[in-house]
Amino acid sequence: MGAVLVNYLFGRANFGEKKKLLLAFAVCLDALMLIEFKLIGQFINNSFLPIGISFYTFKMISYQVDIYKGKIEKEPKFVDVAAYFTMFPQVTSGPIMRYSDFESLELKEKFGDILEQIEDGLKFFVLGLGFKVILADHFAMLWKDIGTIGYESISTPLAWIGAATYSLQLYYDFWGYSLMAAGIGVMLGFPFITNFDQPYSSGSISEFYRRWHATLGSWFKDYIYIPLGGSRKGTGRTFLNLLVVWLITGFWHGVTLNFILWGLILFAFIALEHFVIMPKLPKTLGKIIGKINVLVFIPLTWVIFAIAGPMQLLEYFKRLFPFFGEGISVNQNDFIKNLGIYGGFLAVGIILLLPGLYRFFVINRKHPVINVFLFILFWACVFSLSNAAGNPFMYFKF
């Protein structure tokens, strides 16, 4: 609430005035608040990280910049600013809504319109709930089982299955959350916010991250990459700007070594695509390499994202790539048992990566058959939750 009040007052002081020093001070204040809690959480035991601080801090920074740039035409009231910063469906894990989207809310006068909004929002909410409870939570069980076995004891096939499993877990966990948050927003009368746009159908890693957590990607582009000069100031400056963006992206997720390494590796891939693969190779070959990067290297980068300990990470990669006999497992058939238990969930998760299926749902979501499917899905989720110990959303930690 203190951050809400401070940002409202800074925004009010800067509205229509274009005071660059005031903007810089407000943005630095918000950024330092986030950095402080990130560092405290890393270096002081038993400390706490306020839930959602990464997300509402970014909303506050974008609010200050948009006011300075004149993108917010009408001076906001305190109640509107407070509601925007603390909007409960998004406050814990996004999506990162811009104030202009919040401002576009048109209150419905007819009761029938309100009921229609609630029904439409519920459909997205239930689909997201299914992604989280039926898919992501079962993928989490397999990933946990692999950790329990021990990375030094798993076979190479199981290591690759684990990489795919964690990738799918993270995808359906966060896409599920985003659909649930967007669905609640629709129920309240806000426009639907797309945070995932079929990223695994992308033709390059750059495109993947325009489609994955799209509101975060657009935030980094609009408030860091473009202000730094984007790609307008030559190759060297573009290279540096990409490096800064991906270092910040890694730090935003956490200050441990694996997150920084994850950001740097993604920077290397994107720079390679930007400067070598796309401009210098034949178009068809570039597309093939881009697809391989998405389907093979993205899951490998998620392994780095998932495993914090350097020695554990090294051990896992030895299992993935058992060169010269290094990393050969005693039990080479361990993957068969796990496929028997979780193979059905993995198959469904992979099939749902096809972009046409989600588009079919969106287009036909008012059809009675879809309503029956969602009704069954909802109660399947309730049943699953009633028998589960609880598995919070993965992005709550960020």
Side-chain angles (χ1 to χ4, degrees):
M1 287 308 298
V4 169
L5 181 60
V6 167
N7 275 273
Y8 167 72
L9 293 174
F10 272 109
R12 185 177 179 184
N14 215 0
F15 186 82
E17 298 292 331
K18 288 190 178 295
K19 299 176 181 177
K20 187 174 287 188
L21 186 61
L22 203 62
L23 168 68
F25 188 79
V27 169
C28 287
L29 201 63
D30 287 331
L32 286 171
M33 175 179 69
L34 176 59
I35 292 168
E36 175 192 11
F37 279 109
K38 288 277 188 182
L39 292 176
I40 288 174
Q42 176 63 27
F43 296 112
I44 300 179
N45 293 330
N46 301 318
S47 63
F48 66 92
L49 186 69
I51 292 176
I53 187 170
S54 295
F55 292 90
Y56 61 74
T57 299
F58 275 18
K59 288 171 78 172
M60 290 169 177
I61 291 173
S62 71
Y63 174 76
Q64 298 295 340
V65 175
D66 287 353
I67 276 190
Y68 177 81
K69 290 184 174 181
K71 293 183 178 180
I72 300 173
E73 297 178 358
K74 184 180 178 182
E75 185 171 1
K77 299 177 182 177
F78 175 74
V79 66
D80 293 329
V81 174
Y84 163 66
F85 288 148
T86 62
M87 187 177 174
F88 74 90
Q90 302 174 359
V91 73
T92 51
S93 296
I96 304 172
M97 176 190 275
R98 307 291 174 89
Y99 188 81
S100 56
D101 293 325
F102 177 87
E103 200 176 24
S104 67
L105 170 65
E106 296 179 2
L107 295 175
K108 305 295 183 181
E109 295 180 359
K110 296 181 180 179
F111 186 64
D113 290 338
I114 296 173
L115 293 180
E116 188 176 342
Q117 288 171 205
I118 293 173
E119 181 183 5
D120 201 33
L122 272 172
K123 291 176 180 179
F124 287 107
F125 182 90
V126 172
L127 182 66
L129 182 67
F131 284 163
K132 163 62 178 168
V133 174
I134 305 299
L135 291 178
D137 285 0
H138 284 89
F139 295 145
M141 292 166 65
L142 175 52
W143 179 249
K144 185 178 179 181
D145 287 349
I146 290 172
T148 302
I149 294 170
Y151 302 145
E152 71 282 354
S153 302
I154 61 175
S155 67
T156 293
L158 186 57
W160 280 98
I161 290 171
T165 296
Y166 185 81
S167 301
L168 292 172
Q169 179 195 353
L170 190 62
Y171 178 51
Y172 287 109
D173 190 284
F174 197 28
W175 188 21
Y177 176 91
S178 297
L179 286 172
M180 294 168 74
I184 295 174
V186 171
M187 291 185 222
L188 296 173
F190 293 96
F192 182 87
I193 297 177
T194 300
N195 205 28
F196 284 83
D197 184 16
Q198 306 301 318
Y200 282 100
S201 64
S202 301
S204 67
I205 291 180
S206 302
E207 184 185 352
F208 179 90
Y209 277 102
R210 288 195 296 271
R211 295 177 172 214
W212 172 284
H213 200 350
T215 58
L216 178 66
S218 66
W219 192 96
F220 275 112
K221 182 189 75 174
D222 292 343
Y223 300 105
I224 296 179
Y225 183 68
I226 291 177
L228 286 174
S231 56
R232 304 185 307 273
K233 297 187 176 182
T235 302
R237 185 63 177 270
T238 302
F239 188 88
L240 179 61
N241 293 343
L242 286 171
L243 175 60
V244 170
V245 166
W246 281 101
L247 276 174
I248 294 174
T249 303
F251 176 81
W252 180 82
H253 284 89
V255 294
T256 52
L257 179 62
N258 64 309
F259 290 119
I260 307 303
L261 181 62
W262 171 78
L264 287 173
I265 289 173
L266 285 173
F267 155 73
F269 273 116
I270 290 171
L272 189 64
E273 286 181 348
H274 188 85
F275 297 112
V276 180
I277 294 174
M278 298 308 174
K280 296 186 178 181
L281 294 181
K283 191 173 182 181
T284 302
L285 181 59
K287 286 183 177 180
I288 293 172
I289 293 175
K291 280 288 185 185
I292 292 172
N293 286 346
V294 169
L295 297 177
V296 176
F297 291 112
I298 284 290
L300 294 178
T301 62
W302 286 136
V303 171
I304 299 169
F305 186 90
I307 302 174
M311 297 310 298
Q312 289 180 304
L313 185 59
L314 179 62
E315 194 62 56
Y316 199 97
F317 270 85
K318 284 182 182 179
R319 302 295 152 179
L320 288 167
F321 303 100
F323 298 129
F324 310 111
E326 184 74 24
I328 294 294
S329 171
V330 175
N331 185 7
Q332 289 296 301
N333 297 317
D334 53 3
F335 68 97
I336 296 175
K337 175 185 175 182
N338 286 282
L339 282 179
I341 300 171
Y342 299 104
F345 295 104
L346 288 168
V348 171
I350 292 169
I351 291 169
L352 287 175
L353 294 179
L354 298 173
L357 294 177
Y358 177 69
R359 283 200 296 265
F360 177 84
F361 167 80
V362 173
I363 294 169
N364 299 282
R365 66 185 186 275
K366 295 185 179 181
H367 195 280
V369 174
I370 297 294
N371 289 339
V372 173
F373 165 73
L374 291 172
F375 180 82
I376 295 170
L377 179 63
F378 174 76
W379 288 107
C381 292
V382 171
F383 177 78
S384 182
L385 286 168
S386 68
N387 292 285
N391 191 18
F393 288 101
M394 297 172 75
Y395 263 68
F396 274 12
K397 69 180 69 174
F398 305 124

